[in-house]
């Protein structure tokens, strides 16, 4: 760590070694090419090797310049960062705008004793809302994290609330029995496809035609010579087995050493990771809600996962990754973690009655299932029957009957999952069948409402109400409400936003009530 007399500091010089990590994938691809060709490099691979050499020289030079021109310092109330290679960037961020601080370290970072500091601010416009230092020593990273979040510590000392615990309050620790939930995702099969597709593209880019490799040709020839009614199920079993092993490995890598704790009265910290370690600190006053996710297979096994709806986590994808509070685990554990994070009663999840949506919402789900899941494949099979073989006619009617039954069951489940309620300071929203998500959102965090509809929904008298919040995915939908109920719900959930657009208080629909228990 380089420090100047005027308080300016530079990232560790070992950062230059971290920048060489990008060489691993292309060098690994060259290694695969050597193995696949029996030690002979194709012409394309030689060109790739030359390009790598030139790129390494250019990237190393640029990294050296970037390191020399990057410096930062902490003042009493701001963080100042100067960086840039071709253009100079000078950023001064008040500490009061910093909302979360992450410490992330890959294997290479850990070998070098470094970590990446990533601080998110109140801005949500991509890179402008994020300060990243790659990379600093571990002691310096913890010093920066404490200093950047010092304003939160000050507030907690000033505004201690009644009933809060003292010291670290542990919400969750990793239980290795949860590994049984790892394979219960749709990516068990899809992940194998992605891995095979990536390997094919890499080899194809090196000039290697995978289908002409002798081992591959022999494998497919052997597969075709066997009875397909045996080999196809066997291949499916192999794919599922490989996908399950991959899911277990990813689960272990992502959640090794998992621990979620209130490190003080206003900071929730989630630590996890084996090869790449992660530590995410969330401020309590930016935690605007929580989300209970129950994908179909996971729900069938009694499992769920938990995500925080918090500000300063970046865009939609970053908010999902950095806001994760719990891996797939038993549902009662997920409820306990969410209850501890939100500091709300546990009965919020199972005892609060949700208002059902109109019957038209169920019919809409049935129609969509028929239009998107049943009709197109049936028409395609009928076309094959007309042009190729009458056998496809039987396949078509069997598929149509089975798909109609399955889509009807899924539509029924989707409608039964649909509901909303107002409970004290929270808006509860539940929806979905492939992933049934239950949201508990602070009503005070809602900053805007959007009413949207489509021609088919408008004919059915349905409206989707979207709550905009400066946190998480930034927009959360209450789908397929009755048009007359949507305005009343919005006006009740967050009074004041719609006042200038209404001539009078919207009367609720006769017989419609929203639970508002404290």
């Amino acid at each position: 760590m380089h420090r100047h007399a005027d308080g300016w500091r530079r990232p560790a010089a070992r950062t230059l070694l971290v920048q060489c990590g990008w060489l691993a994938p292309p060098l690994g691809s060259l290694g695969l090419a050597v193995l696949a060709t029996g030690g002979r490099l194709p012409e394309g691979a030689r060109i790739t090797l030359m390009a790598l050499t030139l790129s390494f020289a250019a990237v190393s030079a640029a990294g050296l310049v970037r390191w020399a021109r990057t410096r930062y310092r902490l003042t009493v109330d701001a963080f100042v960062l100067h960086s840039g290679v071709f253009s100079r960037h000078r950023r001064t961020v008040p500490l009061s705008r910093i909302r979360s601080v992450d410490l992330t370290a890959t294997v290479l970072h850990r070998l070098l004793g470094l970590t990446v500091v990533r601080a998110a601010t109140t801005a949500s416009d991509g890179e402008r809302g994020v300060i990243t230092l790659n990379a600093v020593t571990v002691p310096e990273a913890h010093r920066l994290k404490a200093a950047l979040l010092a304003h939160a510590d000050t507030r907690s000392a000033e505004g201690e609330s009644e009933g809060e615990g003292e010291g670290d309050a542990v919400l969750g620790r990793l239980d290795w029995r949860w590994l049984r939930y790892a394979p219960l995702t749709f990516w068990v099969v899809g992940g194998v496809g992605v891995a095979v597709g990536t390997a094919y593209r890499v080899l194809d880019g090196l000039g290697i035609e995978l289908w002409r490799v002798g081992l591959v040709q022999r494998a497919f020839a052997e597969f075709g010579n066997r009875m397909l009614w045996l080999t196809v199920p066997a291949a499916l079993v192999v794919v599922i087995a490989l996908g399950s092993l991959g899911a277990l490995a990813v689960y272990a890598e992502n959640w090794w050493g998992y621990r979620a704790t209130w490190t003080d009265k206003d900071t929730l910290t989630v630590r996890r990771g084996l090869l790449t370690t992660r530590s995410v600190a969330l401020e309590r006053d930016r935690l605007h809600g929580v989300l209970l996710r129950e994908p179909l297979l996971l729900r069938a096994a009694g499992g769920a996962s938990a995500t925080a709806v918090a500000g300063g986590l970046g865009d939609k994808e970053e908010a999902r990754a950095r806001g994760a509070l719990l891996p797939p685990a038993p549902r009662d554990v997920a409820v306990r973690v969410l209850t501890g994070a939100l500091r709300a009663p546990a009965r919020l999840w199972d005892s609060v009655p949700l208002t059902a949506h109109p019957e038209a919402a169920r019919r809409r789900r049935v129609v969509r299932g028929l239009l998107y899941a049943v009709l197109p494949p049936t028409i395609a099979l009928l076309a094959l029957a007309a042009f190729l073989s009458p056998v496809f006619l039987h396949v078509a009617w069997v598929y149509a009957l089975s798909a109609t039954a399955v889509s009807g069951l899924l539509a029924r489940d989707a409608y039964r999952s649909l509901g909303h309620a107002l409970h004290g300071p929270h808006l509860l929203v539940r929806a979905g069948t492939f992933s049934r998500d239950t949201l508990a959102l602070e009503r005070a965090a809602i900053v805007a409402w959007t009413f949207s509809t489509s021609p088919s929904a408008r004919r059915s008298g349905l409206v989707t109400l979207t709550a905009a919040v400066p946190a998480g995915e930034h927009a959360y939908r209450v789908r397929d409400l009755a048009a007359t109920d949507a305005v009343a719900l919005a006006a009740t959930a967050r009074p004041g936003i719609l006042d200038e657009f209404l001539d009078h208080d919207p009367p609720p629909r006769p017989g419609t009530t929203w639970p508002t228990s404290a």
Side-chain angles (χ1 to χ4, degrees):
M1 183 63 56
H2 293 255
R3 183 174 182 177
H4 301 274
D6 55 0
W8 288 97
R9 297 182 178 226
R10 280 201 181 101
R14 284 167 283 175
T15 303
L16 299 174
L17 296 176
V18 174
Q19 296 172 3
C20 300
W22 67 273
L23 284 170
L27 289 179
S29 302
L30 287 175
L32 289 176
V34 171
L35 291 175
T37 57
R40 298 186 305 274
L41 277 177
E43 186 65 27
R46 294 193 185 98
I47 295 175
T48 300
L49 186 58
M50 293 177 58
L52 282 176
T53 303
L54 295 175
S55 299
F56 174 73
V59 170
S60 298
L64 180 61
V65 175
R66 183 182 296 108
W67 174 82
R69 299 190 65 178
T70 299
R71 57 178 184 164
Y72 64 91
R73 70 175 177 180
L74 280 168
T75 64
V76 175
D77 55 0
F79 178 78
V80 185
L81 174 65
H82 292 178
S83 61
V85 177
F86 299 105
S87 59
R88 193 69 169 162
H89 302 282
R90 302 173 184 267
R91 296 186 63 185
T92 301
V93 180
L95 295 181
S96 59
R97 294 187 58 193
I98 293 175
R99 293 300 178 241
S100 66
V101 180
D102 303 357
L103 303 183
T104 305
T106 64
V107 175
L108 186 56
H109 283 97
R110 293 167 68 185
L111 288 175
L112 296 173
L114 302 175
T115 189
V116 179
V117 179
R118 191 174 187 273
T121 69
T122 52
S124 59
D125 51 347
E127 293 298 324
R128 294 182 182 179
V130 177
I131 304 170
T132 302
L133 278 176
N134 184 15
V136 296
T137 61
V138 174
E140 173 67 5
H142 287 286
R143 185 191 74 86
L144 281 174
K145 180 179 179 179
L148 292 174
L149 293 177
H151 64 293
D153 296 336
T154 302
R155 283 197 305 272
S156 67
E158 294 172 352
E160 183 175 336
S161 62
E162 184 178 350
E164 295 176 350
E166 297 180 359
D168 286 10
V170 179
L171 300 184
R173 288 192 183 93
L174 182 64
D175 186 337
W176 287 111
R177 290 175 295 181
W178 301 349
L179 275 175
R180 67 184 184 271
Y181 295 107
L184 300 179
T185 66
F186 294 104
W187 279 103
V188 167
V189 176
V192 175
V194 170
V196 172
T198 302
Y200 175 80
R201 282 175 25 183
V202 169
L203 293 175
D204 184 67
L206 295 172
I208 299 174
E209 297 182 5
L210 190 61
W211 304 114
R212 294 189 178 183
V213 177
L215 179 63
V216 176
Q217 289 182 342
R218 288 193 298 272
F220 273 87
E222 186 69 19
F223 184 87
N225 292 332
R226 303 287 181 179
M227 291 179 289
L228 292 181
W229 63 276
L230 289 177
T231 54
V232 171
L236 183 59
V237 169
V238 170
V239 169
I240 293 175
L242 291 176
S244 298
L245 290 175
L248 291 172
V250 171
Y251 190 103
E253 197 285 323
N254 283 337
W255 295 98
W256 185 283
Y258 159 74
R259 183 182 173 94
T261 60
W262 283 102
T263 50
D264 58 53
K265 295 181 178 62
D266 289 279
T267 306
L268 175 61
T269 302
V270 179
R271 297 181 178 89
R272 61 188 177 96
L274 175 60
L275 300 179
T276 299
T277 59
R278 305 166 183 86
S279 176
V280 181
L282 304 173
E283 288 188 36
R284 185 181 180 185
D285 64 349
R286 301 296 293 180
L287 186 61
H288 297 310
V290 289
L291 188 63
L292 179 71
R293 294 188 180 276
E294 300 174 88
L296 189 60
L297 295 179
L298 192 59
R299 180 173 17 135
S305 61
T307 304
V309 178
L313 295 181
D315 58 24
K316 182 177 180 178
E317 294 302 321
E318 290 179 324
R320 285 187 178 184
R322 299 171 61 201
L325 296 177
L326 183 76
R331 189 180 186 277
D332 59 340
V333 175
V335 169
R336 186 173 70 245
V337 170
L338 291 180
T339 299
L342 198 59
R343 295 187 175 177
R347 62 189 179 90
L348 184 68
W349 303 102
D350 297 308
S351 301
V352 176
L354 300 181
T355 299
H357 288 207
E359 181 67 17
R362 184 190 64 81
R363 293 195 299 269
R364 190 163 185 242
R365 279 150 179 77
V366 172
V367 171
R368 281 190 296 190
L370 294 175
L371 288 179
Y372 298 127
V374 178
L375 193 59
T378 302
I379 293 175
L381 290 170
L382 291 175
L384 291 175
F387 292 102
L388 295 180
S389 171
V391 174
F392 287 102
L393 183 62
H394 300 287
V395 177
W397 71 261
V398 170
Y399 173 81
L401 289 178
S402 57
T404 299
V406 171
S407 64
L409 291 175
L410 292 176
R412 179 187 177 191
D413 180 72
Y415 177 70
R416 291 178 61 184
S417 298
L418 195 62
H420 66 275
L422 299 178
H423 181 80
H426 298 105
L427 168 65
L428 301 182
V429 181
R430 190 177 67 193
T433 183
F434 290 106
S435 178
R436 186 174 70 185
D437 297 343
T438 306
L439 171 72
L441 185 67
E442 286 186 353
R443 294 158 63 179
I446 300 173
V447 296
W449 292 107
T450 300
F451 299 82
S452 58
T453 186
S454 64
S456 61
R458 189 161 50 249
R459 286 194 298 270
S460 301
L462 299 177
V463 170
T464 293
L465 179 64
T466 302
V469 295
E473 299 179 12
H474 306 297
Y476 294 92
R477 294 176 175 83
V478 187
R479 300 181 184 276
D480 293 340
L481 284 163
T484 53
D485 293 345
V487 176
L489 176 62
T492 305
R494 189 68 167 93
I497 295 179
L498 300 181
D499 287 354
E500 60 180 303
F501 303 102
L502 300 176
D503 295 330
H504 53 81
D505 293 335
R509 199 176 172 190
T512 300
T513 59
W514 293 283
T516 56
S517 54

